[in-house]
Amino acid sequence: MGAGLLGRPALAEAAPSEKFVCTVMADVATGRTIVREGPAERRFSPCSSFKFPLAVMGFDSGVLVDPHHPRWDYRPEFQTTMETQKKAADPTIWLADSIVWYSQELTRALGPTRFRDYVARFDYGNEDVSGNPGKDDGLTQSWLMSSLAISPDEQVAFVRRFLGRELGVSDHAYEATTASLARYPAGNGWTLHGKTGSGFLRTGKGAIDRSRPLGWFVGWGEREGRRIAFTRFNLGNQRAETYGGMIARAAMMKDFAALAAR
């Protein structure tokens, strides 16, 4: 599901045994904060939740055409270790199955200047797409294992700007991204639109620490014309059999209706 890791700006803040859940929800029309629980100001790697803004970039630039075009074939040089990602994908499949190589083909097509400019225009987290020091890999790795970091508060702010059409992109970009994102039932008539992200913290020496899983679920809920932007983030302190993003998504699907009623 995209093995994104903790961004460097937040690494020093995570104690070895620390675990927590963070939930932020805000009414899109009024801006009222409905829920803000946990350390919502702390920044972590967006992992595959970054596919949400990547989709906006792709549709605005014309690299992506519509929810089912372009359809790109998997190639052996992509070297994914996940068998489920070794298949052809279009924008809808890419977002639903969180296919990393598709993201990287998209950013290569954008090129470093357009990619950097979009991240800055979106005011996305720390806006750092430099990548790993000395590797010149920010175009394909910055949101996964290195420099880019964002907080739950900032994730919700991005969703609100997206829904308010305040990102400075085309109408088609908003509409095609909405049509391509996966939808999930959340009870009491709510439908969630969103993207997961899963990863791990790093050790002090920079190695992946699989005993420190993290997970995102970012998007919005909609019912009868009302929309609520949300972020669910969880940080664990032991190995888990389920990806962190799947844990965050399941929890938000379960809790959303009750939280929205506050």
Side-chain angles (χ1 to χ4, degrees):
M1 304 309 299
L5 306 179
L6 181 66
R8 287 190 298 272
L11 185 58
E13 299 178 14
S17 61
E18 183 180 23
K19 65 178 295 186
F20 62 82
V21 173
C22 183
T23 305
V24 181
M25 295 170 60
D27 187 277
V28 172
T30 67
R32 180 177 74 90
T33 298
I34 299 167
V35 178
R36 188 176 185 273
E37 299 173 343
E41 75 287 350
R42 290 173 58 180
R43 285 173 169 169
F44 295 85
S45 168
C47 309
S48 285
S49 70
F50 189 61
K51 289 182 174 70
F52 184 168
L54 273 181
V56 182
M57 298 176 202
F59 286 120
D60 183 63
S61 65
V63 174
L64 303 183
V65 179
D66 61 42
H68 299 294
H69 298 91
R71 186 178 177 88
W72 293 333
D73 291 325
Y74 174 78
R75 302 197 303 271
E77 58 262 36
F78 295 152
Q79 297 183 337
T80 180
T81 59
M82 300 179 68
E83 292 298 323
T84 57
Q85 298 201 8
K86 295 179 180 180
K87 62 185 178 183
D90 61 23
T92 300
I93 295 170
W94 162 56
L95 291 169
D97 295 347
S98 206
I99 296 176
V100 175
W101 65 259
Y102 197 101
S103 302
Q104 294 169 329
E105 286 292 276
L106 170 56
T107 55
R108 290 186 185 103
L110 288 172
T113 299
R114 281 199 296 182
F115 178 57
R116 182 177 60 251
D117 288 350
Y118 272 123
V119 172
R121 185 192 311 177
F122 293 174
D123 192 24
Y124 192 86
N126 66 356
E127 302 179 20
D128 185 351
V129 293
S130 60
N132 295 296
K135 294 190 176 182
D136 192 27
D137 61 1
L139 189 60
T140 59
Q141 296 292 326
S142 58
W143 67 95
L144 290 173
M145 303 179 71
S146 58
S147 58
L148 191 62
I150 191 167
S151 70
D153 282 336
E154 290 169 325
Q155 291 270 33
V156 166
F158 168 78
V159 175
R160 289 192 61 222
R161 290 195 300 273
F162 171 82
L163 294 173
R165 300 198 172 199
E166 300 170 355
L167 297 176
V169 297
S170 65
D171 288 342
H172 176 67
Y174 296 114
E175 293 157 5
T177 299
T178 299
S180 300
L181 282 168
R183 303 180 182 189
Y184 306 92
N188 202 22
W190 287 98
T191 298
L192 305 187
H193 308 246
K195 185 68 193 76
T196 56
S198 303
F200 307 91
L201 302 192
R202 289 182 180 270
T203 67
K205 295 183 178 180
I208 295 170
D209 185 351
R210 295 188 179 275
S211 70
R212 304 306 313 281
L214 61 84
W216 294 97
F217 185 42
V218 179
W220 72 95
E222 189 164 1
R223 185 186 71 172
E224 298 175 354
R226 187 185 181 198
R227 297 180 299 180
I228 297 175
F230 69 81
T231 292
R232 186 70 162 245
F233 177 82
N234 43 253
L235 174 65
N237 60 5
Q238 61 184 16
R239 285 178 175 261
E241 295 182 359
T242 305
Y243 284 111
M246 306 302 100
I247 295 171
R249 185 179 68 195
M252 185 53 84
M253 290 171 65
K254 176 178 177 291
D255 297 343
F256 189 89
L259 293 173
R262 291 187 179 182

